[in-house]
Amino acid sequence: MNDDKLKIGKFELNSRLIIGTGKYENFDIMKKAHEASGAEVVTVAIRRVNFDDENENLLNFIDKEKFTILPNTAGCYTAEDAIRTARLARELGMPDWVKLEVIGDQKTLMPDNEETLKATRVLVKEGFTVLAYTNDDIIYAKKLEDAGATSVMPLGSPIGSGRGILNPSNIKIIIENAKVPIIVDAGVGTASDASIAMELGADGVLFNTGVALARDPIRMARAMKLAVECGRDAFLAGRIPKKLYASASSPIEGIIK
């Protein structure tokens, strides 16, 4: 399957799994989970990096030889804040791509699509490869693509909820309408959630909490890796149609009575 690569702008990846860095018990577990996931991309919330303390700066615990950092704008509530954060990441020497996340409500942490769209237009003009996080709104997903987002990232369910893919129909329609990679982001709580996303035809999956807060994060990271690969294979293989009635596994004709 070496020719089945995920292409996001100028970035070409063998793994279709993107993993986060928050909520781990410690940096050692985080590092081991990253390794077990088989991911090539690690996303980092720039606003939450402690640049003043080398021992607490999580960037020092990511192997830059093995992983590409995808800066994200988590913690931003306006387009202006998100744009400023993306620019800061670039000034720090990070790759000029960004997981654009603009939150609209502190309680639900649902994305503000209007502000996300505004930020997308600005950052695309400034040369960023924008991966735009949004809800499972079919119309806004297309608007973000039309605004120049290189990838659209609809949520499966609210951030950190672990509820899986709540609206597979919308995710499927977003995928079918898109001409850019669709990466399911948020709500993936276990391996079966990741597999379902991939079986729907998603180009990739991004998760954090489902691994970081698992009883055994390293084992869950490995499970997520296998689930993404299995889901992708199942999608490419093509599932059989669902039927109301039974269909014999062996043909009835020719059975010796």
Side-chain angles (χ1 to χ4, degrees):
M1 304 298 291
N2 291 334
D3 59 339
D4 184 35
K5 297 181 183 295
L6 172 57
K7 297 178 182 179
I8 305 174
K10 65 183 179 182
F11 299 89
E12 189 173 281
L13 309 169
N14 292 304
S15 173
R16 292 176 175 270
L17 180 160
I18 300 173
I19 194 166
T21 51
K23 302 182 179 179
Y24 286 93
E25 183 179 347
N26 56 59
F27 290 132
D28 182 58
I29 292 175
M30 181 191 76
K31 287 176 62 177
K32 290 177 179 177
H34 288 175
E35 292 281 352
S37 74
E40 296 171 68
V41 177
V42 173
T43 186
V44 174
I46 299 303
R47 292 169 66 95
R48 294 171 181 157
V49 175
N50 187 350
F51 292 102
D52 297 325
D53 187 341
E54 289 297 304
N55 294 321
E56 294 298 324
N57 184 341
L58 68 84
L59 292 174
N60 294 333
F61 297 87
I62 298 173
D63 189 340
K64 313 301 191 304
E65 297 296 319
K66 294 181 179 179
F67 302 103
T68 299
I69 292 177
L70 170 62
N72 71 62
T73 63
C76 293
Y77 286 82
T78 67
E80 289 73 20
D81 281 348
I83 292 165
R84 189 180 306 113
T85 301
R87 290 170 177 166
L88 172 62
R90 185 161 61 182
E91 289 298 317
L92 290 169
M94 295 184 190
D96 57 351
W97 64 343
V98 61
K99 180 201 164 187
L100 178 61
E101 180 178 318
V102 185
I103 298 302
D105 176 69
Q106 285 190 333
K107 184 176 182 180
T108 65
L109 300 179
M110 293 295 282
D112 185 325
N113 288 335
E114 186 176 348
E115 291 293 291
T116 303
L117 186 58
K118 187 190 303 183
T120 297
R121 289 175 175 141
V122 172
L123 292 173
V124 167
K125 286 182 180 178
E126 294 185 4
F128 282 91
T129 296
V130 175
L131 293 78
Y133 171 68
T134 183
N135 59 16
D136 56 10
D137 186 305
I138 297 165
I139 305 305
Y140 257 101
K142 195 61 181 174
K143 284 185 177 182
L144 288 165
E145 178 181 338
D146 292 342
T150 311
S151 174
V152 176
M153 309 180 78
L155 55 79
S157 53
I159 294 173
S161 69
R163 296 173 66 190
I165 313 299
L166 292 183
N167 197 339
S169 296
N170 272 27
I171 298 293
K172 182 69 174 175
I173 293 170
I174 289 171
I175 292 167
E176 290 179 352
N177 288 343
K179 294 183 175 66
V180 298
I182 300 298
I183 299 175
V184 171
D185 179 12
V188 175
T190 190
S192 58
D193 298 335
S195 185
I196 288 170
M198 297 304 295
E199 287 179 24
L200 287 170
D203 296 282
V205 177
L206 187 152
F207 49 77
N208 179 69
T209 306
V211 170
L213 296 186
R215 187 169 60 250
D216 184 339
I218 299 164
R219 177 164 288 190
M220 181 61 80
R222 184 166 62 248
M224 292 289 197
K225 171 183 182 291
L226 297 173
V228 168
E229 292 174 354
C230 288
R232 179 65 177 174
D233 276 352
F235 171 73
L236 293 177
R239 65 160 294 139
I240 63 171
K242 294 181 180 180
K243 297 178 181 180
L244 183 60
Y245 295 103
S247 176
S249 298
S250 300
I252 296 176
E253 295 80 7
I255 292 179
I256 298 174
K257 298 182 180 179

